[in-house]
Every structure is written in structure tokens, then in C-alpha cells.
Amino acid sequence: MEILWLSEEDVKASLSMEETIEAVEEAFREEGLGTVQMPPKSYLLYKKYNGDLRTMPAYLEGMEATGVKVVNVHPDNRGRGLPTVMALVVLNSPKTGAPTAVMGGTFLTSMRTGASGAIAAKYLARKNCRTVGLVGAGAQGKTQLMGLAEVFEIENVKIADVSLDRCRALEEEATAFIDATFEISTDIEDVCDVDILVTTTPSRKPLVKDDWIRVGTHINAIGADAAGKEELDPAILKRAKVVVDDIVQATHSGEVNVPLSEGVIAPGDIYATIGEVVARKVPGRKDDDEITVFDSTGLAIQDVATALRVYRTAVEKGLGRRLPFL
């Protein structure tokens, strides 16, 4: 038998943001309906190198999709000329367990995370959102904005980063897919007076203060994906409707992990999972004055659902290389 190898370039040629949103929304719906198997991420920590390695398996019964992603997060890689996040995804046959494809998962990871933010905002943000604030001007800032641009008519984008050069670079890239005005700053407060705020940093201390957030704001908290990380003032969570992607993962590694461990919030302060909202088990936003927060840790079901879409498109296009396996 053979397996299909898809490089990062093959994956990029096989995946649009619109398609990613469709795949991830279906995955969230399956999770909400209880038709997925997804153990929590397992971590190997490399304290010496300020990094970690994670394995993320999942099975989506309704989509007949199963596989595993192996992904690293090494913040210091930027100085090594390498991406902070690199990944591989293996797709398997649910029927036989045989691997059907191995593909680069770095671009896929960025896209599916951007898609998750767009889906969360679709259900949790106000319907007439026009302004977006980005805290962090890295690769994830770009795909978060790409996803939101698929759902809303964005007119103004505010970007804050410690590096104005990164802000300018993101602005230049974003003009290829969004027609909006841009404002850039090194001061986070400058970008918080918006309809949708997105945080994508690896911070281990709160960056966004409670008194900067107005009523009606939706926040996609993306950066906290390991124990000890947090980007938001816990007081924001106290007055917000908090929706997580997965209860177990968020509790030990999401935006809520530190406030929970310190007793600032309780498990009962978590409103629902995004899957429950997408599956219509619980309502999303109820009124325009609610502050809503989506705590995204990144789920294996997102990777596997998106990888299946990539695989099918690549086969249709004749992309990739067939490699002998057995």
C-alpha cells in the first residue's frame, strides 16, 4: 500500500479560509453532538529550550475522519529563522487504521485556528461588527483576520505589537484580502475599543485590562495554550460570557487556567463549549451588551477535519507524492 505525502506547499494549494471554516464548523458541531473521540493534548516540555511538543489525536464519527497531529511551540524559533509552530498531521482510515496521508501541518494549524476564531465570532459577536483589534502581529494575527473577514464586513483594523515593523508587515499582507483602514501601535490600550478583539501572544501575564473593554465586545483569546499562560485581566472573565473550545483543555492550558487555579473564577463561570453553541444546544450571544470571550486552546478535531478537506482536494488536483508504506 501507499500513503500520500503532502508538503506545506501542497497543503497551501489545497486549502482556502472559506473551506477551513466549513470543515472546522462541522467539527465543532460534531463535538457538540457528542460524536467525537478526542483525548486531551499530551505535552512534552523542554524547559532548557523554552519549548514543547504536543500530540493530538481525534476521531470524528460523522465525518469518517481520524488521525493525529504532532506539533511544537518554541517561541525562541523566531531568532533561529524557524516558525514558532511546526506540525505534521497523519490521517488514518477509521476502518483499518492504516495511514492514508501525511502532510505538513504548520499552515493548516494557523488556518484552522483562524477559522475557529471566525466561527466563535459568528455565534458570539454582535451581527454588525465592523472594527477589529489585534494584540499580536504574528502569523496567527493574519489568519485570525482572514477568518473574520469571511464572516464580517470589516472596515477598520487596529494592530498592536511590540514591533511596529511587524505591525506594518501584517498591514501590508492584510490588504491582499481585506479592504479596510488600519491603525498600528505599540500600546495595547489603543486597539481595545473595537467590536472584536483578538489576542494572539504567548504571554504569561495579563496584557488586556478590564477597564479597556467596553460592553458588547467579543474577545477571541487565542494565545493561552499551555499551563501558566494568560492574556486577559481575570476581571474581564468575571463579567463576560466565557465559551471554551474544550472544558478539559481550557482548564489546564487555556485563558481560564490561571484564574481557575487561583480561585478568581470557578468552573461554573464557564458558560459552554463552542461545540454546544454551534450544535444549538445552548444559545450564543443573547443581547448586544454582553461581553463574550472565546477561549481557544486548539483541538485535534479541527486538525483532522481540516486535514481531511486538504486530502480530498489534493487528490482531486493530483498534488503530492505517493510513497510506499507496506
Side-chain angles (χ1 to χ4, degrees):
M1 63 173 288
E2 295 180 325
I3 59 173
L4 182 64
W5 161 248
L6 297 171
S7 68
E8 286 288 338
E9 291 305 313
D10 294 327
V11 174
K12 290 177 183 178
S14 304
L15 187 64
S16 69
M17 180 54 75
E18 180 182 7
E19 292 168 328
T20 311
I21 290 173
E22 290 174 358
V24 173
E25 188 165 7
E26 187 175 355
F28 283 155
R29 185 174 294 108
E30 274 214 44
E31 191 276 335
L33 295 173
T35 57
V36 306
Q37 295 180 47
M38 185 180 60
K41 297 177 189 177
S42 60
Y43 288 77
L44 297 174
L45 303 177
Y46 311 123
K47 294 182 179 180
K48 179 180 177 181
Y49 301 107
N50 187 29
D52 63 68
L53 189 72
R54 313 165 191 194
T55 55
M56 303 171 61
Y59 171 40
L60 298 94
E61 185 176 345
M63 298 176 71
E64 275 294 288
T66 192
V68 62
K69 183 174 79 171
V70 180
V71 57
N72 78 292
V73 178
H74 281 65
D76 296 339
N77 274 0
R78 192 175 284 167
R80 303 182 179 108
L82 293 171
T84 297
V85 177
M86 294 178 281
L88 282 177
V89 180
V90 180
L91 282 181
N92 298 76
S93 163
K95 182 177 181 179
T96 67
T100 55
V102 179
M103 67 186 70
T106 305
F107 177 75
L108 183 153
T109 296
S110 189
M111 290 287 281
R112 63 76 151 151
T113 310
S116 70
I119 295 159
K122 173 183 173 181
Y123 288 89
L124 298 173
R126 289 178 288 113
K127 300 304 180 186
N128 61 343
C129 292
R130 295 290 182 268
T131 59
V132 173
L134 302 176
V135 180
Q140 192 47 234
K142 175 184 175 180
T143 52
Q144 286 292 320
L145 188 57
M146 285 177 65
L148 291 172
E150 291 286 335
V151 179
F152 300 95
E153 294 181 9
I154 305 300
E155 297 174 353
N156 179 250
V157 179
K158 301 178 181 182
I159 308 171
D161 194 282
V162 294
S163 167
L164 284 178
D165 286 341
R166 280 202 295 270
C167 291
R168 295 186 185 100
L170 176 54
E171 177 183 354
E172 184 176 352
E173 287 186 274
T175 56
F177 60 82
I178 187 171
D179 182 14
T181 60
F182 289 83
E183 301 173 41
I184 64 174
S185 177
T186 57
D187 189 337
I188 293 172
E189 185 177 2
D190 290 342
V191 307
C192 290
D193 186 16
V194 288
D195 298 323
I196 300 172
L197 181 67
V198 183
T199 59
T200 61
T201 76
S203 180
R204 291 182 173 271
K205 62 180 181 179
L207 300 174
V208 178
K209 294 184 179 180
D210 179 46
D211 58 6
W212 297 346
I213 302 301
R214 69 188 187 194
V215 297
T217 303
H218 171 69
I219 302 173
N220 281 334
I222 307 298
D225 59 356
K229 289 186 177 182
E230 60 177 335
E231 299 178 288
L232 307 181
D233 182 341
I236 297 171
L237 303 180
K238 290 290 290 183
R239 65 188 180 108
K241 174 181 282 183
V242 179
V243 175
V244 301
D245 55 7
D246 180 80
I247 293 288
V248 175
Q249 282 194 183
T251 297
H252 72 67
S253 61
E255 183 61 41
V256 298
N257 86 92
V258 175
L260 280 172
S261 67
E262 294 179 349
V264 178
I265 63 172
D269 292 325
I270 297 173
Y271 173 71
T273 68
I274 189 64
E276 291 171 324
V277 175
V278 173
R280 306 292 185 182
K281 286 190 171 182
V282 297
R285 174 176 287 271
K286 293 181 180 179
D287 63 66
D288 284 351
D289 287 339
E290 282 185 307
I291 295 172
T292 51
V293 173
F294 173 54
D295 181 357
S296 171
T297 61
L299 305 184
I301 56 170
Q302 297 169 242
D303 299 304
V304 172
T306 304
L308 180 64
R309 180 67 66 98
V310 168
Y311 173 70
R312 289 174 174 169
T313 301
V315 170
E316 290 175 3
K317 292 184 173 182
L319 298 175
R321 293 178 58 192
R322 293 284 177 180
L323 302 175
F325 179 62
L326 292 176

